[in-house]
Amino acid sequence: KVRLRYATFPKGQGAPRGTICLVQGRCEFIEKYFETIADFQSRGFAVATFDWRGQGGSQRLIGNPRLGYVRRFDDYWEDLKAFHGSILLPDCPAPYYLVGHSMGGLVSLYAGSRDRVMFERIFLSAPMVGLDGQPFGMAGMARLAGTLASLGLGRLPIGRPGDKPQTEQSFAGNPLTSDPVRFNRSSEVLKARPDLTIGAPTVRWAASAFAAMAGAATDQFPGAVRIPVLMLAAAQDQIVSTNAIETLGLRMRTGRHVVVPGARHEMFMENDAIRAQVFAAFDAFVTEQST
């Protein structure tokens, strides 16, 4: 009983190739991906996307709408399942491809481990499968944050300086993209629609996310993903762990990874040269299906 904002975009010219289900990272929103959506349309795909619960234009879950909150990470899986059943299947041309970024990439991997027929292939940009610099590892941080949440502190903010809302003044030294035009475009959207803004995550969100990342690092998880997966890791990522992506990629039976040189975290928002590499990888990955 949570309201989700969604949008669908028809395919471009030519015969239909299917539908891209695009799932975003933490703090993101539909408008941020208009250029990327057009790129998929130009390749003959329809696109369907939505804002996760608690962010963008979807229903916020706690009293402070600027804090990132989710009760449990599986709630994002519930969002994706509901979107697939209510929007993709009845309204969008098959086959379906799942494209996820960062937090959406972790949800996508769990989708691939739980249902092998929802999507034909999964293409991920900097999936959030681990964070560097955590003193107790993913499992230990999950226990710590879970304990704080159980003490009634689950709705308090927690996070890093990079979790501050994006503004034009914060471009210098930002960890997201080297492209000022694309960075400022997202900032302009938030200036026009401040209600889409999300800042720091809460303790409960952190507990849920750390637990999900710890699950992705278990011995059982890589073999449970039974859909072809291609993960792109950013060589200069300061948000999620590139090493964790590489480790998972080497352990997966149906997946692999590629490190994109020079890229920061948001590869779909990067400069033209890096975006060209991202879409070349996507094109080759999708074409493999018919070869």
Side-chain angles (χ1 to χ4, degrees), residues 5-282:
R5 183 180 73 146
Y6 76 94
T8 58
F9 302 82
K11 70 174 184 66
Q13 300 297 318
R17 300 183 65 188
T19 299
I20 301 296
C21 178
L22 179 61
V23 291
Q24 313 153 10
R26 197 186 81 82
C27 301
E28 296 188 316
F29 43 88
I30 293 170
E31 289 86 347
K32 185 172 180 175
Y33 282 89
F34 281 168
E35 180 185 18
T36 300
I37 289 166
D39 290 324
F40 286 127
Q41 287 178 294
S42 71
R43 286 164 165 78
F45 293 97
V47 181
T49 186
F50 64 96
D51 292 340
W52 297 112
R53 66 177 65 201
Q55 66 183 57
S58 291
Q59 183 176 337
R60 302 298 170 95
L61 305 175
I62 57 176
N64 186 340
R66 294 297 180 92
L67 296 180
Y69 179 88
V70 73
R71 185 172 58 90
R72 56 189 190 123
F73 207 79
D74 267 1
D75 289 345
Y76 294 134
W77 164 236
E78 295 296 330
D79 290 349
L80 180 57
K81 282 196 298 183
F83 186 69
H84 181 271
S86 300
I87 305 300
L88 284 181
L89 288 179
D91 298 336
C92 301
Y96 307 116
Y97 300 91
L98 185 57
V99 175
H101 171 65
S102 196
M103 185 189 84
L106 183 57
V107 181
S108 299
L109 287 167
Y110 272 95
S113 73
R114 293 174 176 176
D115 193 318
R116 63 186 303 176
V117 300
M118 286 176 66
F119 299 100
E120 296 289 331
R121 296 197 160 208
I122 299 175
F123 180 82
L124 303 179
S125 159
M128 188 186 74
V129 296
L131 303 180
D132 291 326
Q134 304 304 313
F136 307 114
M138 299 302 101
M141 294 301 294
R143 288 191 293 269
L144 175 60
T147 299
L148 294 175
S150 70
L151 295 174
L153 305 177
R155 300 189 178 191
L156 292 182
I158 187 173
R160 302 171 291 187
D163 294 319
K164 293 180 180 179
Q166 185 172 323
T167 65
E168 294 176 1
Q169 291 71 35
S170 60
F171 174 75
N174 84 87
L176 303 178
T177 174
S178 63
D179 191 289
V181 173
R182 293 185 173 99
F183 183 91
N184 290 334
R185 184 176 59 199
S186 296
S187 302
E188 287 295 323
V189 173
L190 292 175
K191 185 186 298 184
R193 287 287 307 275
D195 57 300
L196 300 177
T197 302
I198 285 287
T202 56
V203 170
R204 171 60 70 186
W205 183 93
S208 303
F210 278 125
M213 287 184 277
T218 60
D219 292 338
Q220 298 78 22
F221 186 82
V225 180
R226 294 173 291 176
I227 300 174
V229 176
L230 177 60
M231 301 183 293
L232 300 189
Q236 297 185 16
D237 206 322
Q238 300 177 41
I239 305 295
V240 306
S241 173
T242 296
N243 182 64
I245 297 170
E246 292 182 283
T247 300
L248 179 60
L250 292 172
R251 297 173 63 205
M252 291 179 67
R253 298 175 183 174
T254 60
R256 62 185 189 274
H257 71 280
V258 174
V259 179
V260 181
R264 301 185 196 179
H265 180 61
E266 293 186 351
M267 284 179 275
F268 284 121
M269 310 299 157
E270 262 287 9
N271 61 59
D272 289 347
I274 290 174
R275 291 183 88 251
Q277 295 178 64
V278 170
F279 279 100
F282 172 83

